[in-house]
Amino acid sequence: MADGCGTGREPPCLGAAAALRRWEQLRRRAAAPWARGLLAVAAGLGLFYAALRVPLRLRDGLAAVTVFLSTLTPKFYFALTVTSSFISGLIFVFEWWHFRKYGTSFIEQVSVSHLRPLIGGVENSPPAPAAFSAGENEANRQNMPECKMWRNPLNLFRGAEYSRYMWVTGKEPLTYYDMNLSAQDHQNFFTCDTDALRPSDTVMQKAWRERNPQARIKAAYQALELNNDCATAYVLLAEEEATTIADAERYFKQALKAGEMIYRKSQNCHSQSPQHEAQLRRDTNVLVYVKRRLAMCARKLGRIRESVKMMRDLMKEFPLLSMLNIHENLLEALLELQAYADVQAVLAKYDDISLPKSAAICYTAALLKARAVSERFSPETAFKRGLSTAEINAVEAIHRAVEFNPHVPKYLLEMKSLVLPPEHILKRGDSEAVAYAFFHLQHWKRIEGALHLLHCTWEGTFRMIPYPLEKGHLFYPYPSCTETADRELLPTFHEVSVYPQKELPFFIHFTAGLCSFSAMLALLTHQFPELMVVFAKAVLRVLWPVSAPSVLASG
């Protein structure tokens, strides 16, 4: 068989080598000084020719455009301005909708994410300075605000409260994102690795993953058929099937009976293996959850002292579960009893610098200090004689609370309407403000003058923190991620409170001005067509003074 390079002609491999040699010779000749000079002369002649020809062609083109524009009728100008106004109006409406929904300008977002890389405008972030030690970096990471979702300590019952609201109003009070977080919580609280050993727990493990409420309820009944002492099945029925608080309490009492029995069994064998320890943690979670919800049922049914006792006993029995924020349930119940000394004792324990804060802690502390001076407080009198020590303490407490969560005062002062609180909240966000005001507004109203003092002083907080996203006064800077997270947690029919208020993007102003200007031109063209034609010709004279006069004169 013949070789691939032997065909009677020069072999292809040798032809490629010859072409490369010729290319190298041309490149060396082009690099010579005389070749560079020749190229420079040719480029100069080309530029000189373009400098002579381009103005002539440009002048001819401008003359042709001027002739075309001078022959247009007023109807064309009217159609042009109306179309321009309509298109700019559509862009303005879309920009406004995008800003209200997502907090950013669509045109700016597209420009930054797509156009800037194309034109080489990608900014290189400077390297981190090496002057900080590892310990300082760790402290900075701990002080950085995080958009962490927290379980709402006073969340309502789905069947007895959320569902009834939806039946009456036809509006869904919970978002899919919020319910998905609750499903994850239920799987973490109420399931463990040993569930596969018990058929009822296996059914409940699948039930917590179900999206359809009816499917979850059906699975709970299936679990009870397999095991009549399945505590988590009673919990699900209490949360979702019970249509009244009394029905929910009845299910929770059955869950408590079953949960205590299972908890005692787990205590006896928790040291046998890691699986038994995980089962004990799960059974502890179930027991704490049931007792807490029973205390909340007693609070809602008016048995407040019984509710307070149940919460205190729960906090004594499980002192290490302070992350569940049971003390916030206790604070609300004690405020309903008007046991302000007991409220102060709870605050003394939990309003500590080393513990995470919440709106309930900060605003309850402000309420107690306002209670001491609000009845006799008068802005005119305070302006004349100055603030007393107690009034200064009250105002400082209000400023501290407002800095932590600036959304709360508008709900307490009823400047914004309330909705049902979500099952999860974002600390310092609008969702936390809704949850706090929903339960504590009545306590502020009960203390005479407290809301008046809040109304007179809360806005003074913002003078101390002119740049809240960069630097705080008593707390770390306000997180910039709260608006996006709150929009996921709160229903769409609720207007999310935004802090600090964002300025309208440039393109909203630009499109609004363009729409208004073109609409005004359309109106003037429709009302005064001849006058607007004269105006258009005058504009042409200004734009093209060389060729326009003769053409316009002939037109």
Side-chain angles (χ1 to χ4, degrees):
M1 186 170 63
D3 191 1
C5 286
T7 60
R9 302 178 183 177
E10 186 181 11
C13 50
L14 297 178
L20 287 174
R21 285 194 300 271
R22 286 194 296 271
W23 171 253
E24 288 295 329
Q25 291 174 1
L26 290 174
R27 190 174 63 83
R28 285 195 296 268
R29 291 175 182 176
W34 63 268
R36 291 182 180 178
L38 186 61
L39 289 175
V41 171
L45 291 175
L47 291 175
F48 179 73
Y49 176 78
L52 292 177
R53 292 290 299 170
V54 168
L56 297 177
R57 292 183 177 181
L58 182 60
R59 179 173 299 180
D60 294 340
L62 291 178
V65 171
T66 306
V67 171
F68 172 74
L69 294 178
S70 63
T71 59
L72 296 177
T73 62
K75 291 183 179 180
F76 172 81
Y77 289 110
F78 176 69
L80 178 65
T81 52
V82 168
T83 304
S84 174
S85 176
F86 177 73
I87 294 175
S88 57
L90 288 180
I91 297 174
F92 168 70
V93 170
F94 178 76
E95 275 284 295
W96 178 262
W97 170 82
H98 194 275
F99 176 74
R100 296 286 293 179
K101 185 172 180 63
Y102 301 105
T104 58
S105 167
F106 176 77
I107 299 177
E108 290 180 3
Q109 184 177 355
V110 171
S111 302
V112 171
S113 58
H114 298 287
L115 299 183
R116 181 179 292 179
L118 294 178
I119 61 177
V122 180
E123 297 179 359
N124 296 324
S125 57
F132 297 101
S133 64
E136 290 173 339
N137 288 334
E138 183 65 24
N140 291 334
R141 280 197 297 270
Q142 292 178 356
N143 291 330
M144 285 296 291
E146 296 181 359
C147 286
K148 177 184 177 182
M149 305 300 174
W150 296 76
R151 184 81 178 176
N152 183 3
L154 291 89
N155 65 303
L156 305 177
F157 295 86
R158 283 198 187 178
E161 292 173 308
Y162 287 121
S163 295
R164 292 178 66 184
Y165 176 84
M166 186 173 62
W167 297 337
V168 173
T169 64
K171 299 178 180 179
E172 180 61 61
L174 295 176
T175 63
Y176 173 78
Y177 179 74
D178 192 14
M179 291 188 289
N180 187 47
L181 290 177
S182 297
Q184 296 176 20
D185 291 342
H186 295 154
Q187 294 176 49
N188 293 332
F189 290 163
F190 304 142
T191 62
C192 64
D193 296 335
T194 61
D195 286 345
L197 304 176
R198 296 173 297 278
S200 60
D201 289 338
T202 303
V203 173
M204 288 306 302
Q205 195 173 41
K206 296 179 180 178
W208 296 120
R209 297 193 182 101
E210 285 285 349
R211 294 185 179 182
N212 188 354
Q214 296 304 321
R216 289 194 295 269
I217 294 173
K218 183 179 179 181
Y221 278 116
Q222 291 176 355
L224 289 176
E225 290 176 0
L226 297 172
N227 180 13
N228 195 41
D229 293 327
C230 183
T232 54
Y234 288 117
V235 169
L236 192 149
L237 294 176
E239 291 287 351
E240 302 201 20
E241 192 195 38
T243 56
T244 63
I245 300 298
D247 292 341
E249 185 180 39
R250 177 170 56 83
Y251 280 122
F252 275 122
K253 286 182 178 179
Q254 292 176 284
L256 178 63
K257 181 179 177 181
E260 286 180 334
M261 181 178 62
I262 298 173
Y263 177 71
R264 285 193 293 268
K265 291 181 181 179
S266 299
Q267 277 186 315
N268 295 331
C269 58
H270 75 278
S271 59
Q272 296 180 5
S273 66
Q275 289 77 14
H276 286 88
E277 290 183 4
Q279 184 176 342
L280 176 62
R281 286 195 298 271
R282 192 279 305 270
D283 295 336
T284 303
N285 292 336
V286 173
L287 187 61
V288 171
Y289 185 91
V290 170
K291 288 187 174 183
R292 179 181 192 167
R293 294 303 258 177
L294 277 173
M296 294 175 68
C297 288
R299 163 69 182 91
K300 293 175 184 292
L301 294 173
R303 305 194 306 270
I304 305 174
R305 296 188 183 278
E306 177 185 348
S307 173
V308 170
K309 182 179 183 304
M310 294 172 68
M311 293 177 191
R312 289 187 186 277
D313 293 342
L314 183 60
M315 294 168 68
K316 290 179 182 178
E317 186 177 0
F318 302 98
L320 298 180
L321 296 179
S322 59
M323 75 287 297
L324 298 177
N325 297 323
I326 304 175
H327 58 275
E328 294 192 15
N329 299 82
L330 180 60
L331 281 175
E332 197 279 327
L334 291 173
L335 286 172
E336 182 65 21
L337 288 175
Q338 302 184 41
Y340 298 113
D342 293 336
V343 173
Q344 185 61 56
V346 175
L347 287 177
K349 181 177 180 180
Y350 290 97
D351 192 6
D352 187 82
I353 192 172
S354 61
L355 297 177
K357 299 293 182 292
S358 66
I361 293 290
C362 295
Y363 277 89
T364 302
L367 178 62
L368 291 188
K369 292 188 177 180
R371 174 176 171 266
V373 300
S374 60
E375 188 175 355
R376 300 179 302 275
F377 178 77
S378 172
E380 294 79 9
T381 305
F383 180 77
K384 293 179 181 178
R385 62 170 172 79
L387 294 175
S388 63
T389 303
E391 290 172 340
I392 291 176
N393 292 336
V395 172
E396 288 179 349
I398 290 176
H399 287 176
R400 171 179 179 258
V402 173
E403 181 183 352
F404 183 82
N405 193 317
H407 308 282
V408 173
K410 288 187 177 181
Y411 294 107
L412 294 180
L413 298 173
E414 299 181 90
M415 299 166 64
K416 280 181 64 70
S417 59
L418 279 170
V419 295
L420 294 186
E423 292 183 338
H424 289 80
I425 60 174
L426 179 66
K427 288 192 175 183
R428 306 189 74 179
D430 190 35
S431 52
E432 184 191 35
V434 169
Y436 173 80
F438 185 86
F439 294 100
H440 288 262
L441 176 59
Q442 56 180 334
H443 307 315
W444 281 80
K445 288 184 174 181
R446 186 178 293 121
I447 297 177
E448 185 178 356
L451 289 176
H452 178 63
L453 178 61
L454 177 68
H455 175 74
C456 295
T457 57
W458 74 279
E459 290 182 329
T461 310
F462 306 127
R463 290 192 292 269
M464 298 185 297
I465 44 174
Y467 304 102
L469 297 178
E470 301 174 8
K471 184 179 180 181
H473 179 61
L474 298 174
F475 299 98
Y476 48 77
Y478 190 79
S480 59
C481 58
T482 57
E483 179 186 357
T484 304
D486 282 329
R487 291 186 189 279
E488 296 287 341
L489 290 173
L490 293 166
T492 55
F493 56 84
H494 173 72
E495 184 180 355
V496 175
S497 176
V498 179
Y499 174 82
Q501 286 292 335
K502 294 183 178 179
E503 296 182 358
L504 289 178
F506 163 76
F507 284 103
I508 289 185
H509 292 287
F510 177 76
T511 53
L514 181 61
C515 178
S516 303
F517 179 71
S518 55
M520 181 184 67
L521 288 181
L523 180 62
L524 292 176
T525 306
H526 182 265
Q527 294 292 331
F528 311 102
E530 300 298 333
L531 183 61
M532 292 304 295
V533 169
V534 174
F535 174 75
K537 292 180 178 180
V539 172
L540 289 177
R541 288 193 185 95
V542 174
L543 294 178
W544 297 297
V546 177
S547 59
S550 59
V551 176
L552 291 176
S554 63

